Amino acid sequence: MSGAINYISCALLWIALLFRLPDLARRRIDPSLRAIVAVLGFASLCFLFGAPPTVALINRLTGVPNIAAPLTYAAITAYSAALLILIACWRDGPSMRRTTRKWIYGYAVVLAGIAVLFAAGSPAEERRTDFDTYFATTPWVAEMIVLYLLAHLTAVTVSATWALRWAREKEVRQRPWLRASLLTIGTGTVLSAGYSISKLAAVGARWSGRDWPQLGISIPPLFAGLGALLTVTGVLLPLAGHHFSSWGDFVRLAPLDAVLDPVLTDRALRLERPRSPFLWATWRRSTILNGLHEIETLFDRGLYDHVVETEFRRLQERGRRRGRSVTAHELATSAAWAATIAAAAQQSIRPSEPSGEPAPLALPRNPRMLVLIADAIRRSERESHYAATDPARAGSA
């Protein structure tokens, strides 16, 4: 066996790990980030140590027959524990932190047990692909095999239970990326359970005098590979969701940026766009805040209050569909801010015109509100376009 699939999987995990290491360097005390890095790192070691060429290389370099086996089992055990800890960190809370410490201590004992049992058994004949079934009846080594398989089965079972149960809760259903992550992790860990179940079945067959090589050699890697793929995908989904949401905000904020462009250009307030697309939303948000700060003394409180009242009454008269994530109050407030900001921006480039009454209006800084204001500007522009081209359609827009 060439181990090509193992090495490709390991390389992909290392690429994902490289993307997370800079975050870890900046936020070393973040327990969930450390758990993510641990999951990716130990998952990559599982694939690396499990490849037959790596097994042969480790055994030859150390001079200890089959030393690659306990190293692989240790990586699988550590990966299982890291996944449990990650889900616990996401869940948070004092009880989960206590549970996390218990899992860490418990799996540390398992790792020590694997090392002690391997040393006591001292399997001398090198087996690169069928170590589990070949030594299933060897004293001490058999106990080591059962120990790591039960530890793995316990971890994936608990992880699947936690992830799938949590995904059904109301607050998680309102966070689609987290829910997708938990469902993917739950599915992946259910599949991963097939690895330890099939291995245990093959070991049990050897104890009863039978030999099921396919169940012990061919089937487990399929469960392990697909399960790890789904699980790691689930672990990375929140990060992907963050970036997709960030890029979406970058696009949605464009109308607000355009309204403020005369101010930003006239006062040379526009920041240089960074090269990394991951920072574009932050760049646009910072640029917008610069423009808002420049014109905040021109905000017309009378206009703001009038639009809030008018828009809120209009929304109540028309009624709103159920299930919307934006409330009527937020829609009315964002429409009022859109009108107020547009008027202030125009007034800032025509200083000779009389200004409205100055009033204490707190600058909108909340990222969600900035996006809603930009959406309100887009709706206003669309309705104005309809009014100019199709008055009947404008009335129903």
Side-chain angles (χ1 to χ4, degrees):
M1 297 177 67
S2 65
I5 295 179
N6 291 62
Y7 294 135
I8 292 173
S9 301
C10 180
L12 292 175
L13 288 167
W14 280 350
I15 292 173
L17 188 60
L18 286 175
F19 276 103
R20 299 315 316 254
L21 286 178
D23 294 334
L24 182 64
R26 291 190 296 267
R27 294 158 33 214
R28 296 178 184 176
I29 62 174
D30 186 341
S32 63
L33 186 56
R34 286 185 294 181
I36 289 175
V37 170
V39 168
L40 295 175
F42 287 127
S44 68
L45 291 180
C46 292
F47 285 108
L48 179 63
F49 291 162
T54 305
V55 172
L57 178 63
I58 293 174
N59 293 340
R60 185 173 67 253
L61 290 178
T62 60
V64 180
N66 299 306
I67 189 64
L71 290 177
T72 304
Y73 299 163
I76 293 173
T77 301
Y79 162 74
S80 305
L83 184 59
L84 272 172
I85 293 167
L86 173 61
I87 298 176
C89 288
W90 281 352
R91 184 70 186 212
D92 203 10
S95 62
M96 296 304 290
R97 286 193 285 271
R98 288 193 296 270
T99 302
T100 297
R101 286 194 292 270
K102 292 178 182 178
W103 283 115
I104 292 175
Y105 298 149
Y107 274 83
V109 172
V110 172
L111 291 173
I114 290 173
V116 171
L117 291 171
F118 178 81
S122 300
E125 184 178 349
E126 184 184 51
R127 309 299 300 187
R128 299 182 183 178
T129 59
D130 61 347
F131 182 92
D132 295 342
T133 51
Y134 187 85
F135 291 107
T137 56
T138 302
W140 303 112
V141 179
E143 285 80 358
M144 178 191 71
I145 294 169
V146 172
L147 175 64
Y148 102 85
L149 289 174
L150 289 178
H152 175 265
L153 182 59
T154 300
V156 295
T157 301
V158 174
S159 296
T161 302
W162 281 357
L164 296 176
R165 181 185 297 166
W166 189 18
R168 294 197 300 268
E169 294 185 6
K170 182 179 179 180
E171 64 271 17
V172 174
R173 291 201 298 269
Q174 297 173 351
R175 301 166 62 185
W177 284 104
L178 176 59
R179 187 167 188 264
S181 172
L182 292 171
L183 290 174
T184 306
I185 290 174
T187 304
T189 47
V190 168
L191 287 174
S192 295
Y195 170 85
S196 47
I197 290 173
S198 56
K199 287 270 190 181
L200 286 169
V203 170
R206 286 278 290 138
W207 290 348
S208 62
R210 292 186 293 273
D211 189 12
W212 295 344
Q214 294 300 317
L215 194 60
I217 300 173
S218 302
I219 296 178
L222 298 177
F223 281 116
L226 184 56
L229 173 64
L230 286 175
T231 302
V232 171
T233 300
V235 168
L236 295 176
L237 268 178
L239 175 65
H242 170 74
H243 288 311
F244 279 124
S245 299
S246 178
W247 291 330
D249 287 351
F250 169 75
V251 174
R252 290 175 66 184
L253 285 169
L256 180 54
D257 185 292
V259 166
L260 293 170
D261 183 65
V263 179
L264 296 168
T265 303
D266 183 61
R267 314 285 172 84
L269 296 173
R270 186 173 292 283
L271 304 174
E272 182 180 356
R273 185 162 70 177
R275 295 181 180 180
S276 172
F278 298 123
L279 300 175
W280 285 356
T282 303
W283 161 77
R284 175 160 280 174
R285 195 178 298 115
S286 299
T287 302
I288 287 171
L289 288 174
N290 283 346
L292 292 177
H293 181 73
E294 190 69 17
I295 63 173
E296 65 178 330
T297 58
L298 301 176
F299 291 158
D300 186 342
R301 183 59 184 257
L303 173 63
Y304 175 87
D305 291 340
H306 173 72
V307 176
V308 167
E309 182 180 352
T310 303
E311 187 69 13
F312 191 76
R313 187 185 307 116
R314 185 177 72 89
L315 290 169
Q316 286 184 320
E317 290 173 353
R318 292 176 55 186
R320 298 177 63 247
R321 295 192 303 271
R322 289 186 175 183
R324 295 278 297 270
S325 60
V326 184
T327 66
H329 179 266
E330 288 176 320
L331 286 174
T333 302
S334 61
W337 270 119
T340 304
I341 291 170
Q346 289 299 315
Q347 184 176 326
S348 70
I349 59 176
R350 293 196 297 269
S352 59
E353 293 190 4
S355 62
E357 292 185 13
L361 270 175
L363 197 67
R365 297 180 180 275
N366 185 284
R368 172 181 167 83
M369 179 51 65
L370 292 178
V371 171
L372 292 178
I373 293 170
D375 290 344
I377 293 172
R378 183 180 286 109
R379 286 195 302 272
S380 177
E381 292 173 347
R382 186 171 61 244
E383 290 172 0
S384 298
H385 173 74
Y386 291 159
T389 59
D390 188 352
R393 186 179 181 184
S396 61

